[in-house]
Every structure is written in structure tokens, then in C-alpha cells.
Amino acid sequence: MAEPIDLSGVHRELDLLKRQLCHCQLQGDCLGCKGVEMVRQQLEAVVAAASQPVLLQVAQEAAAKDMLSQFTQMQERLMDDPAIRQAADAFRERLLEDPEVRGLMEELMKRLGPEGLGGLGGPEGPR
């Protein structure tokens, strides 16, 4: 088994980035704090997966693909329900009425590009 990987430097840099992006006095409520924590969790998951034997990595990858497939099927079933679709549309419309949210969404869409959305579509909703 591989030796443990020291992530303290990366965590230190993420903490500095979090302080620069934070708008909630480091309470964890703003998009900056949540985004940095998401990156931290992904980093730890990648390091943990990379340090495991190959067969275990393959099994975890298969499990992740299966879970993604289940989430996709669940989303499709939910969006087939007219009441849920109407509620989701109303929520999206109310959310995008906020100019700050609209700006953040437009910036995100620019960064992701047309193919980076994984079939989710733009601000107009799922395809």
C-alpha cells in the first residue's frame, strides 16, 4: 500500500482561497465557501481513490457510474410528472429573476461551454 499523501499544503492554499472568495464571514453559507469545500472533498476523494489498488478503483468507478445512472433515471421520472416540472420551472424563473443569480449563472455557462453541462442545458433548463 502506498504511503499517505500529505495534503496540508493544498488544504492551506484552499483555506487562503476560501478567505478571498468568502462573503459570509467564513460561516460556510456563501457560494465561495461551498465551492471551496466541494473542491476540498473532491481532492480528498481523488487522492483516496488513487492510493487504492486498481481492482478497488475499478469497482468504485463502476459503482459511481451506476449511481449516476440511477440519479439520471430519477431525474427523468421526476421531470415526467407535470406538477414537479411546473414547480421546477416556477422555481427556475423566480431564481433567475435575481440579477446576481442570473449573472452567476451566465458566468458559469460561459466557463462550462456548450458541452461542459453534461446534457443539463443552459439557464433555460434540462434538454
Side-chain angles (χ1 to χ4, degrees):
M1 182 123 171
E3 298 218 6
I5 298 173
D6 180 18
L7 297 176
S8 61
V10 176
H11 286 296
R12 186 173 42 257
E13 293 300 319
L14 285 173
D15 290 339
L16 291 172
L17 180 62
K18 185 176 180 179
R19 285 189 202 104
Q20 292 175 2
L21 298 174
C22 178
H23 297 287
C24 68
Q25 288 75 39
L26 299 174
Q27 294 179 7
D29 297 329
C30 70
L31 188 60
C33 288
K34 290 178 182 180
V36 169
E37 289 310 312
M38 183 179 69
V39 169
R40 185 185 315 268
Q41 291 172 2
Q42 289 176 343
L43 168 74
E44 290 173 358
V46 168
V47 169
S51 62
Q52 295 178 357
V54 173
L55 289 176
L56 191 53
Q57 289 180 22
V58 171
Q60 287 178 337
E61 184 177 334
K65 285 181 181 178
D66 182 50
M67 184 171 50
L68 179 61
S69 173
Q70 290 177 19
F71 280 133
T72 302
Q73 290 171 1
M74 181 177 62
Q75 177 188 9
E76 290 169 357
R77 283 194 307 265
L78 287 173
M79 287 299 118
D80 285 343
D81 182 334
I84 292 177
R85 180 176 284 283
Q86 184 179 15
D89 289 343
F91 175 74
R92 186 183 67 246
E93 287 175 21
R94 283 186 35 215
L95 187 64
L96 292 178
E97 285 175 359
D98 183 339
E100 184 178 351
V101 171
R102 189 178 227 5
L104 289 170
M105 290 295 289
E106 289 172 358
E107 178 69 22
L108 178 62
M109 294 304 137
K110 281 188 230 173
R111 289 184 182 187
L112 290 175
E115 296 302 318
L117 297 174
L120 293 178
E124 59 277 346
R127 291 183 205 162

